[in-house]
């Protein structure tokens, strides 16, 4: 990977290489970030390094919904104003942020941490499905909303889960079709996402 920059000092090329590993960061951006940090103050560099370390040290998964959190249970699971009868199943923690931004959902969540994708060697056992099924044993739950992304893997995962959950006698719904096929929940605008929630249909 490292297109060696022979004239570059070792620590500099090392930082460029580390930045290049980040999603969406190409070699050019990695160089730009590195040279930005070279000029930044000691404090700013320290703050960045500290923030990176803290995210690894302090962030855990909520033992109930599997969302990332620094306290267990997370703030949403701990909030007794929320409706424990509805669980919205999402792929990633960022999807929760998107749904919370709509301000129109007051139920609970469950984060799968991925989707079933045979091509990438990801099967049901690699996701937080067992944890979800354990939660559904509680009498409190009435409805499960499938809010996986509207793409091939998201649909397949939703169908797989629906087959598992329907026999339990729970209502299973899917976000309405307002979302464009192939889209990412994370990037959907608030209005579209709120409509998709309201218009969810039983599957
Ligand atoms: Zn939680």
């Amino acid at each position: 990977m490292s297109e060696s920059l022979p004239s570059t000092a070792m620590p500099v090329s090392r930082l460029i290489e580390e930045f290049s590993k980040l999603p969406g960061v190409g070699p050019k951006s990695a160089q730009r970030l590195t040279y930005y940090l070279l000029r930044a103050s000691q404090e700013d560099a320290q703050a960045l390094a500290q923030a990176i370390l803290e995210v690894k040290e302090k962030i855990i998964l909520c033992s109930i919904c599997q969302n990332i959190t620094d306290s267990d249970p997370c703030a949403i699971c701990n909030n007794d104003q929320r409706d424990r009868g509805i669980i919205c199943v999402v792929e990633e923690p960022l999807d929760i942020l998107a749904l919370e931004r709509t301000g129109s959902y007051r139920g609970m969540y469950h984060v799968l941490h991925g989707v079933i994708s045979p091509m990438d060697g990801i099967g049901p056992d690699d996701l937080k499905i067992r944890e979800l099924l354990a939660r559904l044993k509680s009498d409190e739950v009435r409805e499960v909303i499938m809010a996986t992304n509207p793409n091939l893997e998201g649909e397949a995962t939703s169908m797989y889960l629906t087959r598992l959950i329907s026999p339990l006698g729970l209502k299973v719904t899917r976000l309405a079709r307002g979302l464009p096929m192939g889209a990412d929940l994370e990037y959907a605008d608030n209005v579209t996402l709120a409509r998709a929630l309201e218009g969810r249909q039983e599957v």
Side-chain angles (χ1 to χ4, degrees):
M1 277 296 275
S2 59
E3 291 153 47
S4 58
L5 301 156
S7 59
T8 314
M10 190 51 192
V12 173
S13 51
R14 196 181 141 209
L15 187 54
I16 293 174
E17 205 176 310
E18 291 303 325
F19 274 131
S20 309
K21 292 178 188 168
L22 302 176
V25 179
K28 279 261 166 57
S29 305
Q31 285 185 34
R32 217 173 300 134
L33 289 168
T34 301
Y35 288 116
Y36 168 82
L37 284 174
L38 274 175
R39 290 190 304 267
S41 69
Q42 190 69 31
E43 292 76 48
D44 282 351
Q46 202 84 49
L48 176 65
Q50 200 57 43
I52 292 172
L53 289 177
E54 264 188 34
V55 106
K56 296 308 288 179
E57 282 162 9
K58 298 199 177 147
I59 296 298
I60 49 168
L61 295 187
C62 171
S63 59
I64 299 173
C65 71
Q66 312 297 319
N67 190 15
I68 51 172
T69 177
D70 59 357
S71 64
D72 187 22
C74 72
I76 293 175
C77 290
N78 233 352
N79 182 346
D80 51 16
Q81 308 288 1
R82 301 193 69 120
D83 185 353
R84 270 147 222 286
I86 311 179
I87 297 180
C88 181
V89 179
V90 296
E91 294 180 18
E92 303 292 349
L94 285 176
D95 298 332
I96 293 186
L97 289 181
L99 286 158
E100 284 296 291
R101 270 199 306 266
T102 69
S104 55
Y105 181 67
R106 298 301 298 160
M108 314 300 282
Y109 291 99
H110 191 87
V111 185
L112 294 173
H113 289 278
V115 273
I116 298 170
S117 174
M119 294 250 286
D120 302 313
I122 301 168
D125 289 344
D126 300 311
L127 308 175
K128 303 290 184 188
I129 292 177
R130 214 166 312 146
E131 290 82 353
L132 172 64
L133 295 176
R135 289 178 75 185
L136 300 183
K137 289 197 181 115
S138 141
D139 291 337
E140 274 182 320
V141 184
R142 310 182 304 271
E143 177 181 353
V144 180
I145 305 172
M146 293 297 161
T148 50
N149 289 324
N151 55 33
L152 214 61
E153 288 88 5
E155 292 292 340
T157 305
S158 157
M159 262 160 23
Y160 175 86
L161 290 175
T162 302
R163 270 205 305 275
L164 284 180
I165 296 168
S166 290
L168 305 176
L170 294 165
K171 184 172 168 189
V172 183
T173 54
R174 180 91 176 100
L175 289 189
R177 295 287 148 220
L179 297 169
M181 191 70 185
D184 250 15
L185 232 60
E186 191 188 328
Y187 302 118
D189 68 276
N190 288 351
V191 178
T192 309
L193 203 48
R195 285 218 185 104
L197 255 174
E198 281 161 24
R200 64 183 185 268
Q201 278 153 4
E202 197 154 357
V203 288

